Amino acid sequence: MKLFYSPFHTFVHKVLVTAHECGHWDDLDRVATFPFKNLLGEDQGDAYSIAAINPLGKVPTLALDSGQVIFGSQAVCEYFDATSKARRMYPEAGPKRWDAITRLAMSDTIFETTVQMVAEQWQEPKQWNMVLFESVWPKFIRALDKLEQDAARGWDEFDVGQAAMLHAISYLGFRAEFYEAKDPIHPNFKWRDGRPALSDWYDEAIQRPSVQSHFEKDFTDDGSAARCQQAVQDVLARQKEHAS
Ligand SMILES: N[C@@H](CCC(=O)N[C@@H](CS)C(=O)NCC(=O)O)C(=O)O
């Protein structure tokens, strides 16, 4: 199966973590896709567009060997879990599952909002939507404080909620350096300050083989637009085959 995703390994990708935990790592053909290059004016020809297989053109997008396409990171994680050849990342129905998927939703909101804030900083500062930054930060602080309380209690098993926490927190942690942009409200935000349990949990969790599989490791495969478009064509061909 092919996973179209942004191969920036400066942060943890929860879909890669989930694929690895569920025993699918070696089944994945990872296809480098850069959806923001177009926005940044680096990809005038839309060379990395995957719109032919995902109308939203977003990553992550998973294409099964049958040609079926699954997108939305939560849907992709659920697919890996439901077809797991190893451990499960979604607890059985009950309080632990509701807790895991709530942390998943909260962490994904933090990640996606951080992406929006970063994209805002690609514009001239005078054009920044300050309402965005002002409304988001109190939510981030409360959410991280809630995760600190959760981490202090601890978890029995590593779950999809923790994979999403790693994704969101690692992205928050590196963004200032990576994007060379400064947040207008918390230019030097340090999520660890005042959150010792979350900090200890993070340091332990990033040692997991599923995280070490990619985190802070260079993407060494072919990251060209030609390879991405070839992969899109392969998926379309599979779809045609299965339709006939
Ligand atoms: N809710 C989606 C969000 C995915 C998303 O926003 N991906 C971004 C990259 S982090 C993207 O592909 N943006 C390109 C675009 O919106 O055109 C998910 O969880 O998969």
Side-chain angles (χ1 to χ4, degrees), residues 9-30:
H9 295 173
T10 37
F11 62 96
V12 178
H13 288 253
K14 76 171 183 286
V15 292
L16 295 183
V17 171
T18 304
H20 199 286
E21 297 277 347
C22 294
H24 287 303
W25 184 255
D26 292 335
D27 305 334
L28 281 188
D29 176 12
R30 290 182 284 148

Side-chain angles (χ1 to χ4, degrees), residues 6 14 35-36 56-60 71-74 108 111-112 115:
S6 297
K14 76 171 183 286
F36 286 124
L56 302 180
K58 286 182 186 275
V59 291
F71 55 86
S73 58
Q74 300 83 4
D108 283 358
F111 172 71
E112 285 175 29
V115 172

Side-chain angles (χ1 to χ4, degrees), residues 44-66:
Q44 308 290 349
D46 223 1
Y48 285 93
S49 173
I50 56 166
I53 56 166
N54 173 349
L56 302 180
K58 286 182 186 275
V59 291
T61 290
L62 181 72
L64 306 184
D65 294 343
S66 64

Side-chain angles (χ1 to χ4, degrees), residues 73-148:
S73 58
Q74 300 83 4
V76 174
C77 287
E78 202 170 327
Y79 171 80
F80 289 143
D81 183 68
T83 58
S84 180
K85 297 190 278 187
R87 54 187 305 278
R88 301 296 300 263
M89 292 286 278
Y90 286 71
E92 292 296 312
K96 285 188 178 156
R97 184 183 184 99
W98 316 145
D99 176 46
I101 60 177
T102 300
R103 275 180 286 105
L104 168 66
M106 188 162 85
S107 302
D108 283 358
T109 302
I110 294 176
F111 172 71
E112 285 175 29
T113 317
T114 310
V115 172
Q116 274 177 14
M117 291 159 82
V118 167
E120 196 64 26
Q121 292 174 24
W122 288 336
Q123 303 187 48
E124 285 301 307
K126 277 194 221 124
Q127 292 166 17
W128 288 355
N129 173 8
M130 287 304 291
V131 175
L132 171 71
F133 297 100
E134 282 157 11
S135 65
V136 160
W137 273 108
K139 294 176 199 278
F140 274 20
I141 307 281
R142 286 194 298 266
L144 288 166
D145 288 346
K146 166 82 173 71
L147 293 177
E148 166 67 12

